[in-house]
């Protein structure tokens, strides 16, 4: 089955980003597809490679990049939400790209299920 | 339909609102909403009642993180792990997050 | 994207569920942004307003007073995008001392049972 995932909150502030990642990872391990994860509102902060979590903590941004690399997950960051928060191409972690909200509606149409994580 | 709730029922009305629109759908409690699956709370009777009519699940990972044992749940509430969460989304159709 | 081309022409039922008041947080505004984009995809789109979400439709909002955009007028423009299904929770209005007369746009007021049935018919639910 194809899952689209929507992430509306930033990392380290709210559990939504962690829940979304763990859901995506479980789905992929079970042989499902996650063609796209869409990051919206504060969720765009998941894409910022400048973040340096403490050594003993999880690296939320890097985890997404690794998922994109190993399973060809398209990590899309909403352009309007990103620009107003200073998230630009030059600070995007690997695997992320900036695009429009149409990418969210598109994955809603194309995926079998769209699962939302937020506040 | 699979309804997910992620807030403590003592902080917001998300769970109450969800329950009023549950119909014959299934409910999954995640994140801070897992406290609603524990006995002895203000909402425990209501959750037990719902669990006797609808499929009610709770995310075991979030229980463990919060120090709640899977043996301490309201009767009828079934713990699932993340793979179980994925299966519920497959099985019950459109998910709706009560954010 | 190429992998998606096979599904061209699919029409799904999309519901946007709005349960938060405007201005205090960005969710109401961002929900409306996705609604507007969805109009371009020729899907079967509806909006549901319940709990504090009914405040999004309240008349006489003037967020200029807090230096914010007034997007409440946009709800009236949705008809022009062929988005005509706006459902409002009857109890949520009553709990807040509001009636249909207090809203900026014509809506269909639904009781809980009808709202629940409508939600259960959707293919995609986006909640903000």
């Amino acid at each position: 089955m194809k899952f689209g995932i929507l992430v509306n909150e930033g990392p380290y502030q709210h559990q939504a980003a962690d829940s979304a990642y763990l859901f995506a990872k479980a789905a992929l391990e079970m042989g499902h597809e996650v063609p796209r994860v869409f990051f919206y509102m504060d969720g765009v902060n998941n894409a910022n490679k400048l973040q340096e979590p403490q050594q003993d903590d999880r690296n939320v941004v890097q985890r997404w990049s690794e998922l994109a690399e190993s399973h060809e997950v398209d990590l899309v960051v909403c352009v309007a939400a990103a620009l107003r928060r200073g998230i630009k191409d030059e600070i995007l972690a690997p695997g992320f790209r900036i695009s429009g909200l149409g990418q969210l509606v598109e994955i809603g149409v194309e995926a079998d299920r769209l699962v939302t994580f937020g506040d | 339909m699979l309804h997910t709730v992620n807030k403590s029922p003592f902080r917001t009305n998300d769970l109450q609102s969800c329950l009023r629109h549950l119909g014959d759908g299934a409910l999954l409690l995640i994140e801070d909403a897992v406290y609603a699956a524990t006995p002895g709370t203000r909402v425990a009777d209501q959750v037990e009642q719902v669990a006797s009519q609808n499929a009610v699940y709770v995310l075991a990972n979030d229980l463990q993180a919060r120090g709640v044992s899977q043996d301490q749940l309201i009767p009828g509430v079934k713990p699932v792990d993340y793979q179980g969460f994925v299966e519920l989304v497959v099985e019950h159709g459109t998910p709706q997050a009560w954010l | 994207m190429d992998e998606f081309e096979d599904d061209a022409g699919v029409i799904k039922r999309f519901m946007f569920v709005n349960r938060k008041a405007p201005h205090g947080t960005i969710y109401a505004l961002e929900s409306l942004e996705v609604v507007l984009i969805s109009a371009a995809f020729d899907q079967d789109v509806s909006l549901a307003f319940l709990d504090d979400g009914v405040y999004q439709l309240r008349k006489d909002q003037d967020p200029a007073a807090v230096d914010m955009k007034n997007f409440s007028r946009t709800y009236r423009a949705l008809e022009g995008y062929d988005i005509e299904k706006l459902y409002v929770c009857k109890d949520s209005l009553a709990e807040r001392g509001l009636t249909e007369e207090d809203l900026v746009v014509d809506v269909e007021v639904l009781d809980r049972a009808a709202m629940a049935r409508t939600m259960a018919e959707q293919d995609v639910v986006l909640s903000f």
Side-chain angles (χ1 to χ4, degrees), chain C residues 104-115:
Chain C
V104 289
V105 70
D106 288 337
V107 298
E108 191 174 339
V109 176
L110 299 182
D111 63 20
R112 285 171 187 166
M115 185 69 86

Side-chain angles (χ1 to χ4, degrees), chain B residues 2-32:
Chain B
L2 177 70
H3 300 262
T4 60
V5 177
N6 72 334
K7 298 312 187 309
S8 162
F10 314 111
R11 183 175 174 218
T12 70
N13 75 340
D14 296 343
L15 178 66
Q16 294 302 332
S17 199
C18 170
L19 294 182
R20 289 196 283 259
H21 299 89
L22 196 54
D24 61 358
L27 170 65
L28 171 64
L29 305 166
I30 67 168
E31 299 172 8
D32 286 348

Side-chain angles (χ1 to χ4, degrees), chain B residues 1 3 7 13-15 17-18 20-24 94-99, chain C residues 17 19-20 50-51 89 95-96 112 115-116 119-120 122-125 127-128:
Chain B
M1 175 166 260
H3 300 262
K7 298 312 187 309
N13 75 340
D14 296 343
L15 178 66
S17 199
C18 170
R20 289 196 283 259
H21 299 89
L22 196 54
D24 61 358
T94 308
Q96 173 167 195
W98 289 79
L99 301 178
Chain C
V17 177
R19 297 183 49 245
K20 296 187 179 87
L50 50 158
D51 300 317
C89 170
E95 282 168 6
R96 286 161 184 77
R112 285 171 187 166
M115 185 69 86
M119 286 174 169
Q122 304 301 316
D123 298 308
V124 179
V125 175
S127 317
F128 292 102

